[in-house]
Amino acid sequence: MDKIKIIFLDSLPSGKSGSCIFYDCNIYRTSSWNVIDISEICRANQEEWSNSLWEWHCNLTSLAARNDKYSCLLPGSRIHLWQTHVKTLIFCLGLKIYLQSTKEKELFIVGAPDEATLFLNDLFDGGFIIINKIGRRSNYSIIKLIHIFSLRLRNIGSIILRWKPFAWSRAYKYDCDVLVFSLFLTNKSVNYYNDHYFGKIFEQVQSKIFWLYKPSGNFNEKTARKSLSKLNGQFVFDYKLLNIWDLIWCLKNSILLSKHMKNLSKDLPKLKIGSVNCNTFSKRYFEKHFLEPLCFSEFGLLRATQTLLKYIKPKIICFPYEEKGIERAIIMASKTYLPKAKVVGFAHSAYNKAYLYLGEYKNSPKLPRPDIIWAAGNGFNSWLQNFWKRFDPVVNIGSNRYISESNEISTGIEKPILRVLIVVGNPSELYVFRNWIIYFPKLLHNCIVTIRPHPQGWNRENYRIGNELKKLGISRIDNQTSLSSQLNVSDLVLYSSSSAVIEAIQNGKLVAHVAWDELWCADPLRSASNYIHNCNTPEQLCEFINEVISMPPLVLQDLKKNQRKLANSIYSKFDSKMFDNLLIID
């Protein structure tokens, strides 16, 4: 096979033409460039590559756990396809398959991170000429050190800057049946939903509730307390439970954990995907997700939970189930100080195959997991068993996101102006949407479009994309209005990976999937139904919108009803009696 010149750059050069691939795999067509999309290659191989990654990750986490029991608190102990370096590896694997079948002599790669060149060298073993035009700085190592320092400083500062001595009264024991841990995201989410994850469901139970909150992002204690005052039960923030000796203990163990992980650097397990060894990826992943983080915040939560369990004796300990280090901190604390309590993880979301951390651990020692998984709907258990081969105790208790079937499904829509709501699950989806609009300017010209960003994913870069969309005529980007209010004034909901689509269906709204995923399928409905229309190109979306506008009312109503049947298998009605039964079931 002839050598191919691969040129990496941040943007396409003016005055040139040729073949190119965008790292975010959007379809950005121009008259002078042949834009290649390798996402279909990646999706076709997603399961095989994911299985190889999961087996390697099991070996890695097992090795780390044998060296330090607290390694499960590190972000690297939880793997998913969106993680730094994982996406880059998937991209390079797809690129390799494409290059093996192409006759191209020169290929431009736009927007790929620096490590893509290193991963490709591994995959091809030097068989290609790679020219890096991204512009690496000579002081890269200094920048990396600054990044690590700022990362660790933020982790420590999330507790230290809020901590005050003697901040919580330990004078008496609190009476409670259930301890609920959650993240305090924003005052807005609390005002809309009570709790971002659990909503208002604990208002329906007879049990006495105590809340343990960990602040996240911008946080003001005074306004947070005001927002949380309407909760069913008392609450406390984790940093309020720590004294000066706890902080010293957290810092000491954080440093020891980093030291123990550093000792593993030379004995990392080998990742092999097909016949290719991905040694550089293994090293970079370990550095990024095991060596760089300092788990001071996670140790703080562990210590805070231990302190709290001295003063309350709940029968059940609940938290949102996402396999994060903070969840494992709670599990470790409960098994030490209150081993008889049932630890229940609420599988609150609609999961997809990109969440590799849901897999069954194949090696010992296993990472801490809840005693019982609280399923949001009937479909979760079968999916967990069929896809991930896990047979954990699962109880379908239902979800706060369930919307009653008694809600009427309308027959008509606003014609000829269609009201379209776009629910964003991953910020990168907006890049692809922008490029669809650039390529197909009349795509949504007969629609009123509102974009709902992900509540935790709106960053500075997305503000820039948002401004570009406004110049293209998409001016409504609303991260303030509640989802239910937005759905009330929408006819069609477009989604790629957001689980908000299920609430849209249960609200009686027509939905369609658009291929704005990254390199893999992240559809929360898992493309399991013939009633969810898939739009893989701007042309297909335009055609579907025209079909919807001209669709007979009764046909449209039947389509919505069939979509609702699928959604009801994911989110079911909260069963308060089933939850209360957990208190008495051994």
Side-chain angles (χ1 to χ4, degrees):
M1 183 167 56
D2 295 334
K3 289 187 176 183
I4 300 176
K5 183 182 291 185
I6 304 176
I7 303 173
F8 286 81
L9 16 72
D10 289 328
S11 59
L12 290 174
S14 59
K16 288 185 68 69
S17 62
S19 296
C20 65
I21 297 178
F22 286 86
Y23 179 67
D24 52 13
C25 281
N26 51 48
I27 304 173
Y28 195 154
R29 304 180 189 179
T30 66
S31 57
S32 56
W33 289 91
N34 173 33
V35 181
I36 299 158
D37 183 8
I38 63 170
S39 60
E40 287 301 318
I41 296 175
C42 296
R43 289 169 192 165
N45 291 277
Q46 179 176 341
E47 187 168 347
E48 177 188 350
W49 297 345
S50 294
N51 290 338
S52 297
L53 276 166
W54 176 247
E55 291 180 7
W56 166 80
H57 189 260
C58 286
N59 294 329
L60 178 61
T61 52
S62 179
L63 177 65
R66 284 195 292 268
N67 280 267
D68 194 312
K69 66 178 181 179
Y70 293 125
S71 64
C72 62
L73 304 181
L74 289 160
S77 62
R78 172 185 185 262
I79 187 171
H80 53 83
L81 295 186
W82 289 282
Q83 263 179 321
T84 305
H85 300 326
V86 179
K87 175 186 174 179
T88 308
L89 177 65
I90 299 294
F91 176 83
C92 291
L93 289 167
L95 180 58
K96 179 186 179 183
I97 292 177
Y98 171 76
L99 291 174
Q100 288 175 331
S101 61
T102 187
K103 296 181 180 179
E104 302 281 356
K105 299 297 183 182
E106 184 179 69
L107 184 64
F108 291 83
I109 309 296
V110 183
D114 290 3
E115 65 267 13
T117 60
L118 303 176
F119 294 172
L120 281 174
N121 273 325
D122 259 3
L123 298 180
F124 289 111
D125 195 21
F128 285 76
I129 298 173
I130 298 176
I131 302 176
N132 187 357
K133 293 285 186 179
I134 293 178
R136 284 186 180 174
R137 299 182 179 93
S138 58
N139 60 342
Y140 173 76
S141 59
I142 298 176
I143 294 174
K144 184 177 179 181
L145 287 174
I146 294 173
H147 170 74
I148 295 172
F149 177 76
S150 63
L151 180 71
R152 294 181 172 186
L153 197 61
R154 285 197 303 271
N155 189 277
I156 295 174
S158 65
I159 289 181
I160 293 292
L161 296 178
R162 298 169 181 146
W163 177 78
K164 294 178 182 178
F166 312 110
W168 188 66
S169 173
R170 308 183 187 193
Y172 59 92
K173 294 184 178 181
Y174 292 84
D175 184 21
C176 79
D177 301 310
V178 182
L179 171 62
V180 182
F181 167 78
S182 188
L183 290 173
F184 186 92
L185 300 177
T186 62
N187 287 297
K188 181 187 69 175
S189 66
V190 174
N191 292 332
Y192 283 149
Y193 312 113
N194 269 31
D195 180 81
H196 177 79
Y197 300 98
F198 295 97
K200 301 179 181 180
I201 52 180
F202 287 117
E203 294 180 356
Q204 306 174 42
V205 302
Q206 300 298 318
S207 312
K208 296 179 180 179
I209 310 297
F210 193 100
W211 295 81
L212 172 61
Y213 269 101
K214 184 174 187 61
S216 178
N218 294 328
F219 173 76
N220 181 282
E221 183 178 332
K222 185 177 180 179
T223 55
R225 284 188 169 278
K226 184 178 180 180
S227 298
L228 293 173
S229 61
K230 59 184 178 181
L231 285 176
N232 175 25
Q234 301 180 74
F235 66 88
V236 67
F237 298 112
D238 63 338
Y239 61 89
K240 293 284 189 179
L241 298 163
L242 302 173
N243 60 34
I244 186 64
W245 304 113
D246 293 323
L247 299 181
I248 294 172
W249 182 89
C250 293
L251 184 60
K252 174 187 173 183
N253 281 278
S254 299
I255 295 171
L256 283 174
L257 176 58
S258 295
K259 181 180 178 180
H260 293 159
M261 292 302 100
K262 191 174 182 179
N263 294 337
L264 298 179
S265 300
K266 296 180 180 179
D267 299 313
L268 299 178
K270 305 295 183 183
L271 170 61
K272 191 172 185 179
I273 297 181
S275 59
V276 179
N277 290 314
C278 307
N279 298 328
T280 304
F281 167 81
S282 300
K283 180 182 178 182
R284 286 299 181 98
Y285 182 91
F286 186 75
E287 289 176 352
K288 179 68 178 178
H289 301 291
F290 280 85
L291 294 183
E292 290 184 13
L294 190 69
C295 288
F296 186 87
S297 180
E298 288 79 3
F299 277 114
L301 180 60
L302 171 61
R303 201 70 165 180
T305 307
Q306 290 175 343
T307 299
L308 183 60
L309 292 179
K310 295 177 183 178
Y311 297 91
I312 65 172
K313 301 299 176 185
K315 298 176 183 178
I316 297 175
I317 300 174
C318 291
F319 51 75
Y321 175 55
E322 295 178 336
E323 287 283 346
K324 291 182 178 178
I326 53 177
E327 300 165 32
R328 294 167 183 158
I330 293 171
I331 296 172
M332 296 175 80
S334 67
K335 295 306 178 186
T336 303
Y337 281 82
L338 200 62
K340 292 184 179 181
K342 295 172 189 171
V343 180
V344 180
F346 176 32
H348 60 93
S349 186
Y351 300 93
N352 58 65
K353 295 180 180 180
Y355 295 106
L356 303 188
Y357 56 75
L358 290 173
E360 177 60 42
Y361 294 114
K362 300 178 181 180
N363 300 295
S364 185
K366 296 183 178 180
L367 302 186
R369 274 182 164 165
D371 301 320
I372 298 171
I373 295 180
W374 164 358
N378 292 317
F380 178 78
N381 192 22
S382 58
W383 182 73
L384 194 67
Q385 293 180 4
N386 295 336
F387 186 76
W388 288 115
K389 310 304 179 187
R390 277 182 59 183
F391 299 90
D392 304 53
V394 175
V395 180
N396 178 28
I397 302 177
S399 171
N400 58 298
R401 298 184 181 184
Y402 172 80
I403 298 171
S404 172
E405 290 189 53
S406 62
N407 285 10
E408 182 180 355
I409 295 180
S410 63
T411 56
I413 58 174
E414 293 288 330
K415 297 179 180 180
I417 302 298
L418 195 68
R419 299 172 300 178
V420 178
L421 175 65
I422 298 173
V423 288
V424 179
N426 191 299
S428 63
E429 294 166 13
L430 289 178
Y431 290 83
V432 189
F433 173 56
R434 174 201 62 186
N435 293 335
W436 278 26
I437 296 294
I438 291 174
Y439 168 69
F440 207 93
K442 294 184 179 181
L443 177 62
L444 297 169
H445 74 284
N446 57 345
C447 304
I448 298 174
V449 181
T450 302
I451 296 176
R452 176 180 177 81
H454 189 279
Q456 299 179 60
W458 197 245
N459 55 31
R460 183 180 301 175
E461 181 66 16
N462 288 122
Y463 276 113
R464 185 180 66 81
I465 298 298
N467 289 331
E468 290 184 22
L469 288 171
K470 289 178 180 179
K471 293 177 182 178
L472 295 170
I474 309 297
S475 59
R476 297 189 182 187
I477 300 176
D478 183 1
N479 58 355
Q480 298 297 323
T481 307
S482 68
L483 176 60
S484 59
S485 297
Q486 290 174 332
L487 291 173
N488 286 339
V489 293
S490 301
D491 302 308
L492 172 65
V493 177
L494 302 179
Y495 79 99
S496 185
S497 64
S498 174
S499 59
V501 64
I502 300 157
E503 294 172 76
I505 294 174
Q506 291 185 325
N507 262 293
K509 302 301 175 182
L510 182 68
V511 307
H513 178 265
V514 284
W516 299 339
D517 320 71
E518 299 199 52
L519 301 167
W520 49 81
C521 177
D523 184 358
L525 297 178
R526 300 183 278 279
S527 303
S529 172
N530 295 325
Y531 302 114
I532 305 297
H533 193 91
N534 289 293
C535 303
N536 296 315
T537 65
E539 294 89 345
Q540 290 178 0
L541 177 56
C542 188
E543 182 181 347
F544 175 70
I545 287 174
N546 291 332
E547 288 178 7
V548 171
I549 292 174
S550 60
M551 193 175 290
L554 292 179
V555 174
L556 179 63
Q557 187 180 46
D558 286 341
L559 180 56
K560 291 179 181 179
K561 287 180 178 179
N562 286 320
Q563 288 187 347
R564 177 177 274 183
K565 290 178 183 178
L566 174 61
N568 286 346
S569 70
I570 299 176
Y571 291 156
S572 59
K573 185 178 180 181
F574 176 69
D575 189 337
S576 59
K577 292 183 179 179
M578 181 67 75
F579 181 84
D580 286 331
N581 284 342
L582 292 177
L583 296 169
I584 58 176
I585 298 174
D586 292 329

